[in-house]
Amino acid sequence: MGDKAHTPPGSAGRATAPEHPGALRNVVLVGPSGAGKTTLVEALALATGAVQRAGRVEDGAALSDHDAIEQRRHRSVQLSLVPLEWDGVRINLLDTPGYADFVGELRAGLRAADAALFVVSAADGVDVPTRAIWAECAAVGMPRAIVVTHLDASRSDFGDMTRQCREAFGGDDPDAVLPLYLPVHGTPGADGHAPVTGLIGLLSQRVYAYGDGRRDERGPTDAERPRIEEARGQLIEGIIAESEDETLMDRYLGGEEVDLGTLVRDLEKAVARGVFHPVLAAAPAPPGARHGLGTLELLELVTGGFPTPAEHPPPEVTGPDGAARPPLSCDPDGPLAAEVVKTSSDPYVGKISLVRVFSGTLRPDTTVHVSGHGLADRGHEDHDVEERVGALTSPFGKQQRPLSHAVAGDLACVAKLSRAETGDTLSGRRDPLLMRPWELPDPLLPVAVRAHGRADEDKLSQGLARLVAEDPTMRLEHNAATRQVVLWCLGEAHRDVALERLRTRYGVRVDTEPHRVALRETFAAPATGRGRHVKQSGGHGQFAICELRVEPLPAGSGLEFADEVVGGAVPRQFVPSVEKGVRSQAARGVVTGNPLVDVRVTLLDGKAHSVDSSDAAFQTAGALALREAAAAASVLLLEPFAELTIEVPDDHVGAVLSDLAGRRGRVLGTEQSAGTMTRVRAEVPELELSRYAVDLRSLSHGGGRFTRAHVRHEPMPPPVATRFREGAANAA
């Protein structure tokens, strides 16, 4: 492409509201951190006339990374929408973070988009996480194209990068991943690297020169023709192989010349169907220029080759009660069905919900039904409420431009939906719907937090609740066993951004503390104990004596209490008091402060006083007897074990297995997973997993992932238990 006539952008940059899905393209940018996604968005905004340039992009330097945290960290940490207009088409660009900790934002972008641009750096190649996202898109048939950036780097090579893309993304059909253009190089500099000054359109056989920031067209030179001939033949065969005209390949191989119009139409259809994935090149415009290299070609591919929202099936829907509903279609006149793909807060506007409309038309100042997303296990409450839609706007950097409406297929920001959270469904009041939620990664890095001061205590609960409402990849836990508030995150960067948002956005300062694992205690052998609680200090005294036997039980038995008193040594009315004291002490622990489990406590004997015995006295005596039995016996510490299922690239299996051994893990088995991945199953003490989400990423160069599930408690090895007790004593 670049093979079509260029049409000026016309009304680019205005917050117009398309009237039908055919005038929309929703495109998510995917790629590793540093690949140049945000720079590409700015270059496209400049090329469409959405911003004007006078030595820099005015308002465009913050089109995506306009959040204060992003500017401080010089890294995208959230999903950003940048709407552009080109040839009468509204292009909603969804810029996603490239760092693995913010994959939740990436998945939200994939949900809101109908096609994906994979941005890869010619200097860095294709990393493992990008390959994994490509495979996910392939599994659902999402159309994809590849944009190669950083062609100006000294070690960049477009030909080598194309080969890497074919190997990484081509799978069984590398001819489905081919370049549409070849770079034209200028005069080599002092370092020997020749800058890219233009592109050769393989289908049109025309050269598009970008040397001065404008696109000028010319014919190829004699030196360029051999390059064109070889690459063009391969491209044509790749396009024809995916053509819906089954006779075209035979006619082509028989010597028939295929006209350019047919090739372009078949290319666009193959891209829209997700069976052909063109490779393009792009570079930002030089100072004072408007068009960056490859930006016009990319815009032509997006508008001509990527599907409209009407060609992308909406998600499945049910009623809020789970009852089946007919499939939706992308019809502006259909029933309203929209989804909140991102929630954020603005200090002046308040809560802002980024919404993708899948069916119907969303209008301001109307009342909609808001269906919760069923993420109760992550600290979100299920809810079915009605809310009034505030103003509809289209974001552009920090600006919010008013919209009159948003038709099926469009994205818009909605103000003042107080109850709506990320993942919620907006639908008509009379016909409420619930969309099937998109897949979210499990947060596996625990961060225990506490209020920094008294003023923060009152705001902590609300601040944390708002934080997890905005980001469903976080999970909030109030652990009763350890008495800690735990925020589960995807990684250290995710954690740092969350804590910074608590402080800067919600005014809550918190301190972090080591995450504690819920241990338990049990008896290793039978023991007896005598509890004597006798006090007389004037007035009514206290008198209670009881003798207990404690015996270990099989794992999972809990605590049993038995009564074998004979002769009324302990009056019947005080036996429940002894049990209550025993259970209360067991809940507090007898050695390390962890609950005592899997024992049978038997009341054997005791003494009472007709006046001074009481319920409280026998509760105290029962607790004392249990502690005395513990002092006379060997008490084991029980630690929880988790079963891990780890997916890791084949090249890093050895490092992962060695690391598991160092964590006292037991490998249950390994098996080949999809592609070049291996699945490892292991049981590992949870004490050894507090940083495993970070460590596995380092071990596998970002390619590993895992899930965990609690399986049981097991006795802690004596050397480890000794170190743990010593550490607990020192902390106390």
Side-chain angles (χ1 to χ4, degrees), residues 417-687:
L417 290 177
S418 60
R419 291 294 305 276
E421 300 178 358
T422 302
D424 282 5
T425 304
L426 309 184
S427 55
R429 299 170 60 188
R430 298 181 180 178
D431 187 23
L433 300 172
L434 179 64
M435 288 190 179
R436 175 184 56 81
W438 65 81
E439 183 181 348
L440 290 168
D442 289 327
L444 297 168
L445 180 69
V447 183
V449 298
R450 64 173 183 270
H452 178 74
R454 185 179 298 275
D456 303 299
E457 290 179 0
D458 298 334
K459 299 182 290 184
L460 178 60
S461 179
Q462 183 181 11
L464 290 172
R466 294 173 69 180
L467 198 65
V468 298
E470 292 184 7
D471 186 352
T473 60
M474 291 182 186
R475 176 164 61 89
L476 183 61
E477 175 192 9
H478 295 272
N479 194 312
T482 62
R483 296 180 292 279
Q484 285 188 314
V485 176
V486 183
L487 192 64
W488 290 82
C489 304
L490 295 176
E492 291 178 311
H494 194 208
R495 172 202 64 193
D496 294 344
V497 167
L499 298 183
E500 188 171 353
R501 279 183 177 152
L502 270 179
R503 178 176 56 82
T504 60
R505 186 175 292 177
Y506 304 122
V508 183
R509 296 179 303 163
V510 298
D511 298 321
T512 61
E513 58 187 15
H515 174 247
R516 295 194 291 272
V517 173
L519 304 178
R520 297 175 181 173
E521 300 173 345
T522 194
F523 276 54
T528 59
R530 186 171 188 267
R532 185 175 186 275
H533 183 61
V534 178
K535 288 188 176 181
Q536 188 68 49
S537 56
H540 190 70
Q542 299 181 54
F543 187 97
I545 298 174
C546 63
E547 295 183 7
L548 303 176
R549 180 178 67 241
V550 185
E551 306 163 275
L553 292 177
S557 300
L559 188 148
E560 296 180 5
F561 184 84
D563 173 19
E564 294 184 0
V565 175
V566 294
V570 176
R572 305 310 305 165
Q573 69 267 27
F574 294 133
V575 172
S577 303
V578 175
E579 180 179 359
K580 187 175 181 180
V582 165
R583 291 190 180 276
S584 177
Q585 182 64 56
R588 298 191 300 271
V590 292
V591 175
T592 62
N594 294 286
L596 177 70
V597 297
D598 301 336
V599 293
R600 178 186 291 113
V601 180
T602 304
L603 178 59
L604 301 175
D605 198 1
K607 291 183 180 180
H609 187 276
S610 58
V611 175
D612 293 339
S613 290
S614 64
D615 169 71
F618 271 99
Q619 284 190 45
T620 303
L624 291 171
L626 185 61
R627 292 207 298 267
E628 184 177 288
S634 174
V635 175
L636 299 178
L637 268 180
L638 302 177
E639 60 178 336
F641 268 66
E643 181 174 325
L644 304 189
T645 301
I646 307 164
E647 299 271 349
V648 63
D650 295 343
D651 294 343
H652 305 296
V653 173
V656 168
L657 294 178
S658 177
D659 178 73
L660 289 173
R663 297 175 189 270
R664 300 188 285 125
R666 297 190 293 265
V667 176
L668 304 179
T670 62
E671 60 185 9
Q672 194 66 31
S673 184
T676 59
M677 302 288 284
T678 296
R679 181 179 296 114
V680 179
R681 290 178 52 247
E683 292 181 348
V684 186
E686 292 187 15
L687 281 170

Side-chain angles (χ1 to χ4, degrees), residues 129-145:
T130 304
R131 295 177 190 230
I133 298 298
W134 180 279
E136 288 187 23
C137 292
V140 298
M142 175 174 276
R144 286 145 285 153

Side-chain angles (χ1 to χ4, degrees), residues 15-18 24 26 79 81-83 90 92 94 112 336 338-344 351-358 361-364 389-396 399-415 417 426:
T16 55
L24 286 161
N26 298 314
L79 177 70
L81 170 63
V82 180
R90 180 187 177 101
N92 287 320
L94 293 152
L336 177 63
E339 189 170 32
V340 179
V341 295
K342 178 178 174 56
T343 308
S344 59
K351 192 173 185 179
I352 299 176
S353 303
L354 176 61
V355 172
R356 162 71 192 257
V357 184
F358 287 99
T361 299
L362 184 65
R363 302 183 186 277
V389 173
L392 291 186
T393 58
S394 177
F396 195 78
Q399 302 176 19
Q400 293 288 341
R401 302 176 177 181
L403 275 177
S404 60
H405 61 277
V407 300
D410 205 357
L411 289 113
C413 288
V414 182
L417 290 177
L426 309 184

Side-chain angles (χ1 to χ4, degrees), residues 1-2 148 151-152 158-159 179-187 193-202 204-221 224 227-228 279-286 291-297:
M1 305 183 13
V148 179
L151 293 171
D152 55 342
F158 183 79
L180 296 186
Y181 303 90
L182 296 179
V184 176
H185 294 276
T187 304
H193 181 70
V196 178
T197 59
L199 298 170
I200 301 173
L202 293 178
S204 64
Q205 302 183 81
R206 302 292 292 172
V207 178
Y208 306 96
Y210 279 87
D212 57 357
R214 297 195 317 265
R215 185 171 78 162
D216 296 321
E217 185 178 335
R218 64 172 174 82
T221 65
E224 292 166 341
R227 292 180 65 204
I228 295 174
V279 182
L280 299 92
H291 294 144
L293 183 140
T295 52
L296 299 182
E297 288 78 7

